Amino acid sequence: MTKNDDIYDVMVIGAGFAGMAAALFASAQGLKVVQTGATGGIDFSTGFIDLMGVHPIAEGKRWKNPWSAIEAVVQDCPNHPYGLLSCDEIFESVALFTRFLAEQGLEYIGHTDRNTCSLTPAGTIKRTYRVPKTAWNGSVALGKKAPTLIVDFYGLKGFSGVQLVETQKHHWPELKTVRIQFPSGRGELYPEHMAWALADPAVQEKMIAAIMPHAVDVEYIGFPAVLGLNDPQKVVDHLAALSGKKIFEIPTMPPSIAGPRLRAVFDRGLPAQGVRTHSQKLVTSVKELDSGMFEFSVGTGAAMLPVVAKKAILATGRFFGKGLRAERKKLVEPVFDLPVVQPETREQWHEQDFFAPQGHPVNSAGIEVDERLRPIGQSGRPAYDNLYAAGAILAHHDWMRMKCGAGLAIATAYKAVKELTR
Amino acid sequence: MKSFQTRVLILGGGATGTGLARDLALRGVSCLLAERRDINAGASGGNHGLLHSGARYVASDMEAAVECREEGAILKAVAPQCIEDTGGLFVAVEGDDEQYVADFEGMCKKSLIPARQLDLGEARELEPLLSEKLISAYAVEDGAVDPFMLSLDNMAHAMTHGAQSIRNAKVVGFSMGDGRIQRALFLDETSGESFEVEADLIVNATGAWAGLIAALAGAEIHILYSSGSLLVTQDRLTKRVINRLRKASDSDILVPGGTVSVLGTTSVTIDSPDDCRPTVAETDQIIEDAQAMIPVLATTRYIRAYAGVRPLVLSGESGDARSVSRGFSLIDHARDNVDNFITITGGKLTTYRLMAEKTADMVCRKLGVKAPCLTRTESLPASTMGRWTEPGLAPKSWVRNRDEDDLILCECEMVSRNSIDSIIENMPGMRGNSMLKAIGMRSRVGKGPCQGGFCGLRITGHLYDQGHVSEAQGLMELKTFVGRRWRGFSPVLWGLPMVQADLQEALYCGALDMELDHNTDDFTCEDDE
Amino acid sequence: MIFFDIGLTLALTICVIGIVYRVARWNGEWTSRKPQLSSGFLLWIGRAVKSLILDVVLLARSGRTSFLRWLAHSLVFFGFMGLLLFHAMDETVTATFFPFYESTLDPWQFLRNLFGAMTLVGLVLMVYRRVHSTKLRLLTHFQDWAALLILGCIILSGFFLEASKIMSPAVFDRMTDEYFVPGEVGDLTALKAYWAHEYGVVFSVEYPMDEETLELGASLDEDSCVDCHANTATAFVSRPLATVLTPVAFALNTSRADQVFWYFHVIFCFIALAALPFGKFFHPVSTPINLVVRQGRRDDLEGFQPSAVCRSVGMDACTRCGECSLHCSVAPAFTVLGNQNILPSEKLASLKQFQTGELISQAGLTAFSEGSRICTECLRCTDICPAGINLQDLWIASKARITKLAPSPNDLLRNKTATQRARVFDDLCKSSSILPAVTGLADDSASYWACVQCTTCTSVCPVVAVCEDPSRDLDLLPQQIMNLLRMGLKEETLGARMVWSCTTCYKCQEHCPQNIRVADVLYELRNTVAARVRDGGASCEGNGESL
C-alpha cells in the first residue's frame, strides 16, 4: 500500500563503489532498484579510480598498462574476479560509470590504456586509471616536473607541503611549498568545511591574493583537495583565472572531500534515475519468501522497515564496510551467512610485517562466486538463484596491494547486473 | 670513529639501567648509559606495570614476596607520580584449587603482607565485572606503575646529576686486554655509524640480552628466555589490580593503567630474546583463560597485545620457567676473569630499585667509592620527559591550557602538537633518527584504538614541517613506526580492531601505496605528459 | 421547520463567530529575518492558480506522501464537496443552474449516492490507515477521530434517511396526497403495488403483484410520478440498504424513522458546521488558503518573507496528519527522549498555543521550549507537508520569542562564557555528593568501542562548519568529546560549547561509519548538566554564581 511495501526488482546492499555502480547500472536497465548501505568505502575514497596497478604483489611489480596487468593477473590467478569478465566489459563498465559522474558534474580524466601518476598526501606517487579532472593538472605537472607551488594551510592536519617537497626533491626539484592562513576560518580545519567556505568566490580571491607573492615563478599551483564540494571544477577554473596559473588538487587524508563529492553525485543522480535509496541504513536480517523473493529488514529499532525484492546484489565490501565480520575464530558473512573462503586459522590471517609485500592472506578471503557472480553456498552450488555479489567482498584478490579497488567494484557490479537481467 | 670516555658504562636502558644510572649519579659516580634502541624497549616496557604487593609470591618464593612488599612501599613514597595506588584483589572462582585458597591468608601473614578477606558481595560491589562464580576474595596493596615514566624520570634525574645517555647504540663487541674490557664498540643501527666507549667499569643491565652481551666478553650466563604476552583493553575495566588466587599461572592478572587495563600473561620459552612478540595463539589463550575471572574479557575491545621477555637465570638445568627464581642475579665477572664487568639481570619491575642499589654497591666497592645509596629515601622528581606517558594527561593539559592554534595530532589519546613539540624539546641528546618511535615511547601517541593509523601520518607531516626529518626519512620512519605497532596490533585482529586494521591498510597501502618501493626510477613518471 | 431554522442559525452563528475569532488571531509576534522581496503580481496569480488546481483540487501534495492517503482524501474531498454543493446547498446551487432540479430525480439521486459512497469509502480508508499504521497511531488525536466520526455520522445518517424514505409508506402517502389524483378505484392500489415492486416502498399490507396491476401501476407512475421521481434503483446505496432493512421496515415505518433520521442527519450537519472553526475542523478552509497563498515555495530560499498572517494561516492549516513527524530527521530523538514537542506536528500544536498565549503551564512551556530547540532545519517537514505549511519558517521565526519567554536551563548556561560555566560546574562538583550518579550512554565505554578515529563526525557537523574558529568557538569538536568520554574524562567535556551548540541534527550519527551514537551522547551530556544545574543549583546558591 505504501511505498515501502512495494516489490523491487533489485535490492542493492551496499553503498560503496560496487553498490553505487550496481544501483546505477541496474536502474539504467529500467529495473526498479532499491539501495541500502551506511557510510561506506565511497566516503573514504581518495577519489581516484584504480583499475589494476601491481602484480605480482610479492614482487611489487607496477604496470603502466592496466589492461596488460589484468591479463597477467588473470593468467596467474585464474580465480581473480577479473577472470569473470572480459576486458571489453571492464572497459565498458568504467566508461559508463565515469560518464555518469561527468553528467553529474564530476568529470574524470585518464588515458585509455595507460595508468596515470599522481601525488598522494604522503608524498608517494601512485599509479591510477582515472583521476578527477581537478587533479589532472597535478599529474601533468608531475610528468613534466614543472615549476609548481604546493599550498597548504595552518590547521589542516595530515597535509604537509614540506613533506611533499622533501619526498620528491630529487625527482622534482622545482616543486616548492608555502603554508598560508586559510582565508575563512582558523584553528583546526576540516576539508568538508573548507570546501564549503571555498565555494565563495570572495574567499577564493582572498586566498589567491595571499598565494600570489609566492607563486611568481611557477606554472602550476597544487592545493589539498578542498576546492569546493559540489562544483569543484568551477572553483578550479576561477582560481586559474585569478592566478593565471594551472590549478590542481591533491587528495587529503580521509575523510577527505573526494568521498563526499562522489556521494553527493550519487545522492543526486540515483534517485533521479528512480532508485529508492535508504542511505545510512544496514540490512539487519533477510528471509527468503516462498515466492523466492527476498524480504530484507533494513535499519534497526523504530526506523526498521521491510524491503521486498526479486533479486539482490551483495556489495557490502569487506571489514570496514561490514560485508565481512571477523570473529575470533573465523570470518563470517553477516547478511546471508554465506560461506567465506578463508585461511584455516586466525594465525594465518596476517603476516608479521604490516607492509609485507606478499600481502596479508586475510585480504584474499571473501565470497566465492560462480561464473555468473552468484555466491556459492554450503552445497558448492549457488546459494540462491537470484543473489549476486560484487566488489571487494569477492574472494581471491587484494585490492589494496593490486590497486584494483574501484575498477573491480565497478566492473563486477556491471557484470552482476548483466547476469541478473539475463 | 667517535670515542667517549666515562667512569661507568651502563648497557641497557630499562628500569634497572636507568635506576642504576640515577643511583650512581646520586653517589657522584659519572656514568654513561647506552641503549640499543630506546628507553624500556625490552622487558621493562613489556610487562604488566604492576607494583606487586608481594602476595603473588607468598607460596612460591617468600624472599621475593618480602622484597616486593618493602620495595613497593618505598616506591609509593619516593616516586608517587609513577604509581597509581589502586589496591588489588586476589580472587578465586569455582574450579580453582581450594587448598591454595585456604592457605593463602596464612602465607601472607608469614611474609607480613597485608591481606584482608572480603565477603563475595563486597568484592563484587568493589569490582562489578568480577565473575558471579567467585568463591573467595582478598584485598591486598597492589598498585599500578607506569614503567615508562619511571625509567624516563630516573634517566632525567640521573642526567641532572651528570649522567649521560645514548640511544640507538648496539654493542657489537668489546676489545679485551689485561683481563678487563678496554673498550666497548657500538653501532648506531639507524645511522650506520660506529663509535667506542672507554670505561673503568661496565655494567651489563641488558635484561634478557645479558647472556649474549656477556658472551661478547667471553663470560657465560645461562639464561632461559621466557616470553610473556599481554593484552591491552580499550577501557579501564576495573579500578583495582585483579589477581587470580591460585598457584602462579597464565592469564592471572588484570592491571589498570590510566584509561586502559592490561591483561596477562603467558610464559613461552623462546630461543632468542629478539624473537619475542605476542602471538595469536597466546592472545586466544589469555582470553579463554581469564574470562573465568572476569567474563567481559571475552567480549571487550582489545587495543593491542605486547610481549616482554623475562630473563630467567638458570642455576641448575631446570626447564620450567615459572619454577625458576624471579629473584635477580648480580654477577661479578671477575669469576670469568673479566675484572671490570658486572651483570645484573632477572628480577621484577617492583624490585628494580633494589637491584640498582645492590649493583651500585658492587660498582662502588670495585671502584673504591664510599658513598651511601640515596634512592631509598630521596624522592624521584617528576621530569618533563616522562610526564607525557601518563594516560589522560595530554587531553587534560590540552583542554585546560588551550592555545587556539594547538591542534590535536593524535586523536585517540588526544596528544596535541604542543605536547609533541615539548617532547622533542626535552630530548636534545636523542634528536636525530627514529623521532617518531621516540615520540611514541615518550607519549601516548599510537597507543589508542587507531594504533598509529591516523596519528602516524599527521605527526610525520608535523616532523617534516618542523624540519626534524627530511627527504624520504620521515616516510621510512612512519613505516617503521606503523610496522612496530603492527606487532602488537596483529594478534588482536578480530571484531572491531579488524575493522580498524582494514581501514588502516586501505589508507597506507590502498591509497598511499606505501608498501611499494618508491626509490626506483619507475616512480619518476617522466613518460607522463 | 422551526427546528431547522433555529438549528441552522445557531450553527451558522457559532461558525461565523468562530471563524471571525480564529481569523482575528491570525497575527502574532514573530522574528523577521529578511526584508520581503515582492514578486510580480501576475507571476503570483499564476502560481496561485497552479497551486489551486494541483494542490487544492487534485491534492497533489498529499499524493506525494502516500497513495492511500491521497486516495482517501480525494474520495472524501470530492464526495463531500459533491454532497455539499449538489445536495446540502441544492436550493442555492443546483436549482440555480439546473431549472428542473428535483432531488429525487436522476442524476441527482444517483450522484448523491455516489458522493456519499465516495466519502464513506474515503473515511473507511482513513480509519484503516490510522488503525493499521503504528506510527500514525502514536500521533492520532481525539480531534482526528472526532472529525472522522462526525463526518461518518452525517453520511450514514444520510443514507439511512434516504433508505427510510424509500421504504416509508408515509412518505408515499404524502406524495400521493399532494400530487396524485386517482382516476378510478384501484388506481392507488395499482400505483402502490408498482411502487412497492419497483421503488422499494414497504407497505403494511401486501398488494397484488399480478402483471396487470403492475402494468397499470406503471402507466399511472408514467403519468404522474416520473417527472419528479426517478426509480430508486439508482440510489445504489440507499435502495439496497432499504432492502436490507425490510425485515424491520414495519417498526421503522411506524416510528417514522425517516423523520428520526432526518433529525440525526441535520443535527450532525449542524454540529459539523458549528465545529468548522475549531481545531482540525478548520482545515478545509485554512489549508486551501495556505496552499494558494504559499504555493509550496521554500520561502527563505526564494527571498520571500511571510507575514504574520501567512504564518498564522499556516499554523491553522495543519491537519495533524503527522506526515512531517514521519519524515522528521530528529524524530529518533523523540523515541529517546519522549518529548512530543520534538515532533513537528506536535510542536506546531504547542507553538500555536504558545503564540496565542494558551500555553501557560510551566511544565508545558519547558517541554515545548526544549522540544522546539531540537531541529536541524533540514526542511524535510516543509517539503513534505501536504498542507503546504512552511514549518521550518515557523520554527525559526518563533525561536527568539520562545527563548525570551520560556528559557531553558540550557540557555542560561549557554549565555555564560566557558570560564563562567567551568566555575558553575566546579561548584556543582564540590557538592556532587548530593547529585544523582548519572550513568548513561556517555558513561558506557562500550558506546565508543567501534570508533575508528576517522573524524567524520566533526567533518560533517554543520555547527563546526559555520564556526570561524571551531576550536575557539566550540571548545571541543565532536570527535574530541567522544575521545575524552572514551578515556573516562567526562568532566572535561561538560562545559564545552560544542555540547551546548549541538543542534542535534544527527548528521554525525547518521554519517558515522561505525554507528556510534554521537548525537545521542551529546544530547545526553547536555541533559546531564541541565540535571545537575537543576538538582545541584539550590545547594550551590551562595556558592559562587547562581544560575
Side-chain angles (χ1 to χ4, degrees):
Chain A
M1 294 290 235
T2 59
K3 279 178 187 167
N4 297 340
D5 297 334
D6 288 346
I7 295 172
Y8 293 91
D9 295 323
V10 193
M11 162 75 145
V12 176
I13 315 168
F17 266 110
M20 295 301 191
L24 171 69
F25 296 142
S27 60
Q29 295 292 315
L31 297 174
K32 190 170 167 190
V33 182
V34 57
Q35 185 194 23
T36 65
T39 310
I42 215 150
D43 292 78
F44 287 77
S45 161
T46 51
F48 293 148
I49 296 180
D50 289 355
L51 188 56
M52 184 71 202
V54 177
H55 173 76
I57 53 174
E59 293 167 25
K61 184 181 174 191
R62 286 160 286 227
W63 294 71
K64 286 184 178 156
N65 183 333
W67 305 105
S68 314
I70 288 172
E71 208 173 296
V73 79
V74 170
Q75 178 91 36
D76 298 340
C77 327
N79 284 329
H80 192 284
Y82 273 147
L84 301 165
L85 295 110
S86 70
C87 280
D88 285 344
E89 285 172 322
I90 300 171
F91 184 83
E92 169 84 1
S93 67
V94 175
L96 284 174
F97 191 84
T98 47
R99 188 194 306 157
F100 170 77
L101 295 180
E103 281 164 7
Q104 296 290 332
L106 194 60
E107 222 174 302
Y108 271 74
I109 300 191
H111 305 284
T112 312
D113 53 4
R114 190 148 49 88
N115 280 327
T116 298
C117 286
S118 246
L119 255 185
T120 76
T124 53
I125 287 168
K126 177 182 171 61
R127 284 186 188 278
T128 187
Y129 187 57
R130 289 281 182 270
V131 300
K133 192 178 172 192
T134 54
W136 179 250
N137 276 334
S139 298
V140 178
L142 171 66
K144 293 197 298 193
K145 312 294 179 215
T148 299
L149 176 73
I150 305 282
V151 176
D152 69 5
F153 300 99
Y154 289 102
L156 177 62
K157 301 188 286 191
F159 190 93
S160 161
V162 174
Q163 181 172 348
L164 301 187
V165 170
E166 281 292 328
T167 47
Q168 287 298 318
K169 84 172 153 198
H170 295 300
H171 306 302
W172 194 352
E174 288 191 88
L175 186 67
K176 58 177 205 164
T177 184
V178 62
R179 174 162 291 188
I180 62 164
Q181 198 72 50
F182 190 64
S184 158
R186 53 193 302 262
E188 208 153 298
L189 298 173
Y190 288 82
E192 192 160 339
H193 309 149
M194 296 168 86
W196 282 117
L198 272 176
D200 180 356
V203 177
Q204 296 163 16
E205 279 158 32
K206 218 169 139 191
M207 180 173 79
I208 286 295
I211 293 167
M212 283 322 282
H214 308 277
V216 181
D217 49 354
V218 300
E219 195 182 331
Y220 290 85
I221 306 177
F223 291 91
V226 295
L227 306 179
L229 181 61
N230 286 329
D231 199 351
Q233 194 54 47
K234 199 169 136 195
V235 178
V236 166
D237 292 344
H238 189 222
L239 292 179
L242 288 172
S243 63
K245 313 284 179 188
K246 291 171 187 147
I247 306 292
F248 64 92
E249 288 188 311
I250 302 165
T252 57
M253 266 175 76
S256 73
I257 201 64
R261 276 180 193 158
L262 280 165
R263 174 171 275 279
V265 159
F266 287 102
D267 282 351
R268 271 199 310 269
L270 288 181
Q273 289 213 22
V275 177
R276 175 93 172 100
T277 53
H278 295 293
S279 56
Q280 314 301 347
K281 282 200 173 96
L282 290 177
V283 171
T284 44
S285 71
V286 58
K287 68 174 184 236
E288 199 182 7
L289 304 176
D290 294 337
S291 56
M293 288 191 267
F294 295 114
E295 185 182 325
F296 298 93
S297 297
V298 177
T300 52
M304 212 265 295
L305 53 98
V307 172
V308 177
K310 293 175 190 157
K311 296 178 180 181
I313 297 178
L314 186 66
T316 43
R318 302 189 69 79
F319 304 100
F320 186 57
K322 320 282 179 289
L324 296 176
R325 192 174 65 218
E327 293 178 351
R328 195 143 60 80
K329 307 275 184 195
K330 62 177 193 301
L331 304 176
V332 296
E333 188 284 305
V335 180
F336 291 91
D337 197 22
L338 296 166
V340 179
V341 180
Q342 56 186 295
E344 252 171 57
T345 64
R346 197 170 98 238
E347 268 150 325
Q348 294 159 337
W349 286 3
H350 294 99
E351 294 293 329
Q352 295 210 334
D353 175 9
F354 177 69
F355 291 107
Q358 70 272 33
H360 303 290
V362 75
N363 290 333
S364 302
I367 301 297
E368 187 97 60
V369 289
D370 72 352
E371 74 289 345
R372 296 187 58 203
L373 283 167
R374 289 177 305 181
I376 303 292
Q378 303 290 353
S379 63
R381 295 203 321 278
Y384 304 90
D385 281 342
N386 48 351
L387 177 65
Y388 301 79
I393 195 172
L394 299 173
H396 310 300
H397 70 91
D398 183 341
W399 69 268
M400 300 189 258
R401 287 172 203 247
M402 291 174 166
K403 320 297 167 193
C404 61
L408 188 140
I410 296 164
T412 51
Y414 175 83
K415 178 78 170 175
V417 169
K418 198 168 165 186
E419 291 297 337
L420 169 150
T421 47
R422 220 168 66 174
Chain B
M1 195 191 315
K2 263 197 265 179
S3 181
F4 302 92
Q5 262 120 28
T6 183
R7 206 158 173 205
V8 179
L9 170 65
I10 302 167
L11 304 175
T16 316
T18 54
L20 176 62
R22 173 174 179 247
D23 195 316
L24 289 174
L26 288 176
R27 298 191 207 212
V29 179
S30 77
C31 55
L32 169 68
L33 183 145
E35 160 59 40
R36 177 180 160 190
R37 289 186 304 202
D38 204 343
I39 300 293
N40 278 13
S44 298
N47 59 70
H48 263 121
L50 167 60
L51 191 70
H52 277 290
S53 61
R56 182 159 164 91
Y57 300 112
V58 287
S60 58
D61 189 344
M62 211 175 115
E63 194 188 345
V66 173
E67 272 174 16
C68 282
R69 170 173 58 79
E70 290 172 355
E71 284 300 308
I74 293 171
L75 287 185
K76 282 179 192 173
V78 302
Q81 78 275 15
C82 302
I83 287 158
E84 193 186 341
D85 197 357
T86 59
L89 298 182
F90 269 78
V91 298
V93 293
E94 281 171 24
D96 285 348
D97 178 2
E98 296 193 14
Q99 190 56 49
Y100 190 90
V101 173
D103 296 342
F104 182 70
E105 199 165 3
M107 294 190 293
C108 286
K109 269 204 185 107
K110 232 187 272 174
S111 305
L112 300 176
I113 289 168
R116 181 171 66 88
Q117 184 161 21
L118 302 173
D119 71 53
L120 302 180
E122 187 185 356
R124 296 197 59 223
E125 202 168 297
L126 291 174
E127 295 297 349
L129 295 181
L130 283 175
S131 165
E132 284 174 18
K133 293 181 175 165
L134 210 62
I135 57 168
S136 182
Y138 286 88
V140 297
E141 294 179 350
D142 284 338
V145 55
D146 179 343
F148 290 96
M149 189 188 286
L150 186 67
S151 294
L152 288 168
D153 284 355
N154 268 314
M155 198 61 232
H157 196 210
M159 287 165 83
T160 60
H161 287 79
Q164 292 174 289
S165 74
I166 320 176
R167 277 194 314 151
N168 298 325
K170 179 187 181 183
V171 184
V172 287
F174 296 115
S175 71
M176 311 292 295
D178 299 336
R180 50 187 281 128
I181 297 170
Q182 300 290 342
R183 282 182 306 277
L185 308 173
F186 288 92
L187 171 68
D188 181 334
E189 285 180 304
T190 58
S191 65
E193 280 172 38
S194 296
F195 59 94
E196 57 179 34
V197 178
E198 263 180 67
D200 295 344
L201 193 83
I202 293 164
V203 180
N204 172 16
T206 53
W209 286 264
L212 299 171
I213 298 295
L216 294 176
E220 214 174 318
I221 311 171
H222 290 287
I223 292 182
L224 188 69
Y225 306 119
S226 164
S227 168
S229 292
L230 301 106
L231 299 179
V232 186
T233 61
Q234 171 153 327
D235 318 311
R236 179 172 177 146
L237 300 174
T238 60
K239 291 193 193 75
R240 294 163 188 76
V241 175
I242 310 291
N243 301 270
R244 186 82 166 264
L245 180 47
R246 66 177 177 188
K247 184 163 165 281
S249 173
D250 286 352
S251 337
D252 276 358
I253 310 176
L254 181 73
V255 183
T259 55
V260 302
S261 286
V262 176
L263 175 66
T265 170
T266 53
S267 179
V268 176
T269 306
I270 53 175
D271 294 335
S272 154
D274 292 320
D275 291 346
C276 168
R277 64 183 293 154
T279 66
V280 169
E282 285 172 279
T283 304
D284 282 352
Q285 187 201 329
I286 292 172
I287 293 171
E288 269 153 36
D289 208 4
Q291 54 181 299
M293 184 164 78
I294 297 175
V296 76
L297 289 171
T299 51
T300 193
R301 176 174 178 178
Y302 291 92
I303 296 284
R304 69 180 193 279
Y306 61 92
V309 56
R310 308 176 188 93
L312 300 172
V313 181
L314 294 176
S315 36
E317 285 305 314
S318 169
D320 177 17
R322 279 194 204 284
S323 65
V324 179
S325 169
R326 294 290 160 102
F328 53 87
S329 306
L330 177 61
I331 301 161
D332 182 348
H333 289 289
R335 73 168 197 198
D336 302 301
N337 302 318
V338 188
D339 201 35
N340 63 342
F341 189 42
I342 294 172
T343 290
I344 173 75
T345 187
K348 283 173 283 292
L349 180 63
T350 308
T351 58
Y352 91 94
R353 193 210 59 82
L354 184 66
M355 291 162 70
E357 179 184 337
K358 298 285 183 207
T359 313
D361 285 349
M362 184 185 276
V363 168
C364 290
R365 206 163 52 241
K366 288 178 82 93
L367 292 177
V369 175
K370 287 201 170 62
C373 171
L374 297 175
T375 58
R376 196 177 276 270
T377 48
E378 177 116 341
S379 282
L380 175 64
S383 69
T384 43
M385 199 154 85
R387 65 192 287 248
W388 295 111
T389 64
E390 182 189 331
L393 174 77
K396 276 187 208 155
S397 137
W398 178 76
V399 169
R400 288 181 188 155
N401 319 303
R402 282 298 285 278
D403 162 358
E404 269 176 38
D405 292 320
D406 189 14
L407 312 178
I408 295 280
L409 293 182
C410 157
E411 295 280 352
C412 305
E413 298 285 334
M414 301 190 73
V415 185
S416 72
R417 197 170 61 192
N418 284 358
S419 312
I420 286 172
D421 287 342
S422 134
I423 290 165
I424 296 171
E425 251 168 57
N426 280 289
M427 45 184 218
M430 300 182 173
R431 265 193 219 192
N433 285 326
S434 62
M435 297 284 291
L436 193 53
K437 235 166 80 186
I439 291 166
M441 205 231 85
R442 284 163 181 76
S443 68
R444 300 287 302 165
V445 165
K447 298 198 170 61
C450 93
Q451 286 294 295
F454 291 105
C455 55
L457 277 169
R458 294 197 192 106
I459 295 171
T460 299
H462 180 61
L463 292 178
Y464 272 110
D465 288 343
Q466 299 296 305
H468 293 309
V469 289
S470 59
E471 300 183 22
Q473 181 203 349
L475 283 187
M476 296 318 291
E477 282 202 14
L478 177 57
K479 282 181 79 165
T480 313
F481 177 71
V482 174
R484 191 75 199 170
R485 300 313 303 168
W486 181 251
R487 288 166 69 99
F489 198 24
S490 55
V492 300
L493 296 184
W494 71 90
L496 295 165
M498 185 68 155
V499 173
Q500 185 92 57
D502 199 27
L503 178 61
Q504 176 170 323
E505 202 182 340
L507 176 60
Y508 281 97
C509 302
L512 303 179
D513 277 16
M514 279 186 54
E515 82 281 16
L516 299 174
D517 181 2
H518 288 269
N519 293 321
T520 60
D521 289 343
D522 194 27
F523 269 80
T524 56
C525 290
E526 256 152 20
D527 55 319
D528 289 47
E529 72 274 11
Chain C
M1 285 297 101
I2 293 175
F3 168 78
F4 185 86
D5 291 338
I6 292 177
L8 181 63
T9 316
L10 204 62
L12 263 178
T13 315
I14 296 174
C15 179
V16 169
I17 292 174
I19 291 178
V20 169
Y21 174 68
R22 188 139 175 179
V23 170
R25 295 196 307 173
W26 276 357
N27 217 323
E29 243 181 84
W30 301 91
T31 316
S32 288
R33 283 168 298 151
K34 284 179 224 157
Q36 182 171 344
L37 299 177
S38 56
S39 56
F41 180 70
L42 276 177
L43 182 71
W44 189 92
I45 286 289
R47 294 174 60 152
V49 169
K50 186 177 159 212
S51 188
L52 184 70
I53 295 167
L54 275 180
D55 297 334
V56 179
V57 178
L58 296 177
L59 295 160
R61 289 184 72 94
S62 295
R64 296 182 316 167
T65 54
S66 116
F67 173 71
L68 182 67
R69 184 166 187 275
W70 174 83
L71 183 67
H73 254 89
S74 298
L75 286 171
V76 172
F77 176 70
F78 285 108
F80 198 80
M81 287 315 274
L83 288 175
L84 186 71
L85 293 174
F86 297 116
H87 172 58
M89 298 168 69
D90 55 356
E91 281 173 27
T92 42
V93 178
T94 333
T96 315
F97 292 103
F98 303 92
F100 302 108
Y101 168 77
E102 272 302 335
S103 67
T104 43
L105 273 178
D106 274 332
W108 315 112
Q109 180 174 262
F110 166 75
L111 281 177
R112 190 162 59 245
N113 274 268
L114 179 69
F115 291 141
M118 280 167 66
T119 312
L120 202 57
V121 170
L123 289 173
V124 168
L125 288 178
M126 284 177 177
V127 171
Y128 165 78
R129 201 169 152 261
R130 296 214 167 255
V131 173
H132 179 71
S133 161
T134 45
K135 280 183 182 162
L136 264 180
R137 224 181 299 155
L138 290 174
L139 305 168
T140 299
H141 294 274
F142 168 74
Q143 284 198 3
D144 296 320
W145 290 117
L148 291 175
L149 184 75
I150 292 175
L151 212 52
C153 285
I154 292 175
I155 304 298
L156 283 175
S157 62
F159 278 129
F160 275 99
L161 169 60
E162 199 171 50
S164 63
K165 274 171 128 175
I166 284 171
M167 64 169 95
S168 170
V171 174
F172 177 87
D173 290 345
R174 201 180 66 214
M175 174 183 76
T176 47
D177 285 353
E178 269 181 57
Y179 300 105
F180 182 71
V181 186
E184 289 176 37
V185 181
D187 278 4
L188 192 59
T189 314
L191 191 60
K192 279 182 174 176
Y194 183 77
W195 271 64
H197 188 261
E198 290 292 319
Y199 286 25
V201 183
V202 183
F203 294 97
S204 48
V205 288
E206 295 239 355
Y207 292 96
M209 291 289 169
D210 55 296
E211 241 174 67
E212 208 178 307
T213 316
L214 288 179
E215 234 170 72
L216 175 64
S219 72
L220 288 168
D221 178 65
E222 184 71 36
D223 293 343
S224 309
C225 305
V226 287
D227 287 346
C228 294
H229 288 275
N231 191 327
T232 54
T234 59
F236 63 93
V237 178
S238 308
R239 176 71 187 276
L241 184 63
T243 315
V244 170
L245 291 175
T246 311
V248 289
F250 180 73
L252 291 175
N253 286 340
T254 45
S255 57
R256 290 306 304 265
D258 59 315
Q259 289 179 4
V260 176
F261 284 125
W262 181 82
Y263 276 107
F264 271 115
H265 190 58
V266 166
I267 288 172
F268 282 124
C269 290
F270 289 162
I271 292 177
L273 182 60
L276 184 68
F278 303 102
K280 182 174 177 162
F281 295 92
F282 197 51
H283 87 265
V285 178
S286 54
T287 305
I289 295 178
N290 185 58
L291 282 168
V292 170
V293 169
R294 223 178 64 70
Q295 306 150 1
R297 283 177 317 251
R298 285 182 160 199
D299 292 343
D300 40 347
L301 299 187
E302 297 176 31
F304 178 84
Q305 170 72 35
S307 65
V309 174
C310 278
R311 287 183 175 131
S312 303
V313 173
M315 290 201 295
D316 269 353
C318 176
T319 66
R320 288 188 119 170
C321 66
E323 284 298 336
C324 49
S325 296
L326 296 183
H327 288 80
C328 175
S329 47
V330 295
F334 165 68
T335 51
V336 176
L337 300 167
N339 183 348
Q340 290 218 341
N341 289 288
I342 293 167
L343 299 175
S345 53
E346 310 313 295
K347 193 191 295 182
L348 187 70
S350 296
L351 177 62
K352 205 151 74 176
Q353 288 185 308
F354 176 77
Q355 287 295 68
T356 52
E358 286 166 30
L359 186 69
I360 39 166
S361 86
Q362 195 52 50
L365 271 176
T366 310
F368 169 59
S369 155
E370 199 175 273
S372 69
R373 230 160 288 276
I374 303 175
C375 168
T376 66
E377 301 177 11
C378 67
L379 260 178
R380 282 196 216 169
C381 52
T382 302
D383 281 350
I384 199 68
C385 179
I389 306 166
N390 189 351
L391 292 123
Q392 176 160 313
D393 166 69
L394 295 176
W395 310 148
I396 296 172
S398 59
K399 227 182 215 169
R401 195 160 164 259
I402 297 171
T403 311
K404 203 170 90 194
L405 295 183
S408 77
N410 296 358
D411 294 312
L412 293 171
L413 283 167
R414 219 195 272 249
N415 289 335
K416 298 193 177 299
T417 65
T419 333
Q420 287 170 323
R421 273 200 304 270
R423 201 153 59 227
V424 172
F425 299 139
D426 271 356
D427 290 345
L428 287 172
C429 293
K430 279 173 205 149
S431 58
S432 61
S433 55
I434 56 132
L435 297 175
V438 183
T439 49
L441 208 53
D443 307 86
D444 181 2
S445 49
S447 305
Y448 322 100
W449 274 358
C451 177
V452 291
Q453 303 293 334
C454 66
T455 70
T456 297
C457 47
T458 298
S459 291
V460 300
C461 177
V463 177
V464 177
V466 298
C467 276
E468 195 199 318
D469 182 346
S471 21
R472 182 194 64 201
D473 301 336
L474 298 171
D475 302 325
L476 294 171
L477 305 179
Q479 102 271 5
Q480 291 166 348
I481 292 177
M482 296 305 119
N483 279 325
L484 284 166
L485 293 170
R486 174 174 53 77
M487 287 189 271
L489 302 172
K490 186 175 172 184
E491 295 302 318
E492 312 288 338
T493 65
L494 294 176
R497 266 169 289 187
M498 181 67 233
V499 174
W500 303 94
S501 309
C502 170
T503 63
T504 46
C505 73
Y506 279 81
K507 257 188 108 176
C508 48
Q509 195 156 325
E510 286 185 359
H511 281 76
C512 176
Q514 296 294 92
N515 295 318
I516 289 166
R517 292 167 65 184
V518 186
D520 289 343
V521 167
L522 289 177
Y523 194 77
E524 190 188 283
L525 289 181
R526 195 187 293 185
N527 283 344
T528 303
V529 180
R532 280 202 193 175
V533 170
R534 251 195 327 271
D535 304 340
S539 69
C540 290
E541 268 173 40
N543 185 10
E545 244 171 299
S546 71
L547 287 163

